[in-house]
Amino acid sequence: MVTLLIGAGLIILGIVVIAHDRRTLLSGLLPFLGLLTWLTGLTPVWLASTLFVIILPLGILGEVLTHDGYWLLSRYGTSAKGYFFLVGGFLVMVFAPLFPVLWLLWRSVLTVKLMLAIYGYVAVLIDAYLLATVINALPLTIKPTKILILGAGLIKGGVGPVLRRRLLGGLALYQRFPKAELIMSGGQGDDEPEPEAVAMHRFARQKGVSKSAIRLETNSTNTATNLSEAKRFINSGDRVVLVTSDYHLLRSLLYARRQGVNCQGLAVHTPHFTFTCNAFIRELGAYTIIHRYLIPLGLVLVIILCLI
């Protein structure tokens, strides 16, 4: 009964967070922890099966890292990075199906208990991040006055597949709300012949968008500066929709929240699974940098709880 009440409380708290501002990891973490609390009342076999589903995304990421390590070694020869990806990814991948078995049989052994806690902590963060991304990709509830499209690296001086999908997604939204203003955001990288926003502007013009409907932000160098530089085109009363790739959505919205840009997100699907997983791994790394103190603190608390 107590676990049911705690689980319900966490889920309700998550709903409150989502209703207030869903651009936070808590929008995924609180409901997920609530469900986990409910699952503790299951029989050991069902609980072990549930745990396997929970850690499955981490196992998939391990498979992708293994593939990356093999690709690096076969293409570029022996390298520390290649072996790190190959061995590290393989260990993560293999450990995933063993997790429920270890939990059932040897969770009382301190070493195994610590290993399970660390692995489970990382898995929960990944699942919460995925759930928060899905929640933030829910259908829009506003009619935008500004559509902010985030840039991506140019390929051979032109719009590449990732950027093209972002542009097509943003332009499709613009067709639904033609009174909105488009903001193209992207500066010039060291290997790019022009700012990304200029190439984005040219693409939109070729699709029939009038020049007066487009604003260019050409100074940004990363996601954080995309938002800080684009703010000068956004007024306090604007209803903003931020358009970017699905794997990039949550972190972009987190930066928008930090910059005081009130917006909702439009996630553009990325079709290539391996590319998406690799990009998602980079996003997780970037997210841990944003919370460089909070996430390690959580891990320390989990380890302390295991030792008590």
Side-chain angles (χ1 to χ4, degrees):
M1 185 64 180
V2 175
T3 56
L4 288 176
L5 289 174
I6 293 174
L10 287 169
I11 291 173
I12 291 170
L13 187 58
I15 293 172
V16 171
V17 168
I18 293 168
H20 175 66
D21 191 343
R22 61 194 187 189
R23 298 174 299 169
T24 168
L25 183 67
L26 292 177
S27 65
L29 181 61
L30 290 172
F32 188 72
L33 289 178
L35 291 173
L36 283 183
T37 304
W38 280 348
L39 292 173
T40 57
L42 296 175
T43 61
V45 174
W46 275 106
L47 182 53
S49 301
T50 305
L51 289 173
F52 176 75
V53 174
I54 291 169
I55 54 86
L56 184 61
L58 191 52
I60 293 173
L61 293 184
E63 188 278 331
V64 172
L65 287 174
T66 305
H67 173 271
D68 290 347
Y70 175 78
W71 182 82
L72 286 170
L73 292 172
S74 60
R75 185 177 182 113
Y76 299 106
T78 302
S79 68
K81 183 178 180 180
Y83 281 116
F84 176 79
F85 280 5
L86 182 67
V87 176
F90 180 77
L91 291 175
V92 170
M93 177 180 63
V94 169
F95 192 70
L98 294 178
F99 184 93
V101 177
L102 291 172
W103 182 86
L104 282 173
L105 299 179
W106 297 295
R107 63 183 184 276
S108 59
V109 179
L110 181 59
T111 304
V112 175
K113 192 175 180 181
L114 284 172
M115 188 164 51
L116 293 174
I118 294 170
Y119 198 88
Y121 177 77
V122 175
V124 166
L125 283 179
I126 291 175
D127 288 327
Y129 195 93
L130 283 170
L131 182 56
T133 298
V134 171
I135 289 170
N136 277 277
L138 291 173
L140 302 173
T141 60
I142 61 173
K143 296 180 179 179
T145 58
K146 299 286 173 67
I147 300 172
L148 171 59
I149 306 176
L150 300 190
L154 301 181
I155 305 297
K156 296 180 180 179
V159 172
V162 172
L163 183 53
R164 178 183 175 84
R165 285 184 170 271
R166 294 183 187 182
L167 285 164
L168 290 176
L171 295 180
L173 183 63
Y174 174 73
Q175 289 178 350
R176 290 172 53 199
F177 302 100
K179 293 183 179 180
E181 193 173 63
L182 288 163
I183 304 173
M184 307 297 188
S185 177
Q188 183 175 358
D190 295 335
D191 59 345
E192 294 174 324
E194 62 182 356
E196 294 162 9
V198 173
M200 295 163 71
H201 174 269
R202 186 165 56 247
F203 184 94
R205 294 284 289 130
Q206 290 170 352
K207 296 295 183 180
V209 179
S210 65
K211 185 177 180 180
S212 60
I214 305 172
R215 297 289 178 267
L216 298 186
E217 180 287 298
T218 59
N219 298 321
S220 57
T221 56
N222 52 38
T223 304
T225 53
N226 277 141
L227 277 303
S228 61
E229 292 291 335
K231 279 179 65 176
R232 68 178 186 269
F233 299 115
I234 299 171
N235 302 316
S236 58
D238 278 326
R239 299 182 298 274
V240 183
V241 172
L242 184 153
V243 182
T244 189
S245 305
D246 45 12
Y247 60 82
H248 187 237
L249 180 68
L250 182 57
R251 187 164 64 91
S252 302
L253 291 173
L254 292 174
Y255 277 124
R257 184 178 183 179
R258 286 190 167 198
Q259 295 288 348
V261 178
N262 189 20
C263 65
Q264 292 186 8
L266 176 65
V268 178
H269 176 58
T270 309
H272 303 294
F273 180 74
T274 302
F275 174 84
T276 302
C277 286
N278 276 295
F280 181 72
I281 292 170
R282 293 195 300 270
E283 288 298 309
L284 284 172
Y287 181 80
T288 58
I289 292 173
I290 296 174
H291 299 281
R292 60 178 62 89
Y293 303 114
L294 187 59
I295 290 178
L297 178 61
L299 180 58
V300 170
L301 290 175
V302 167
I303 294 173
I304 290 173
L305 289 173
C306 287
L307 296 174
I308 294 176

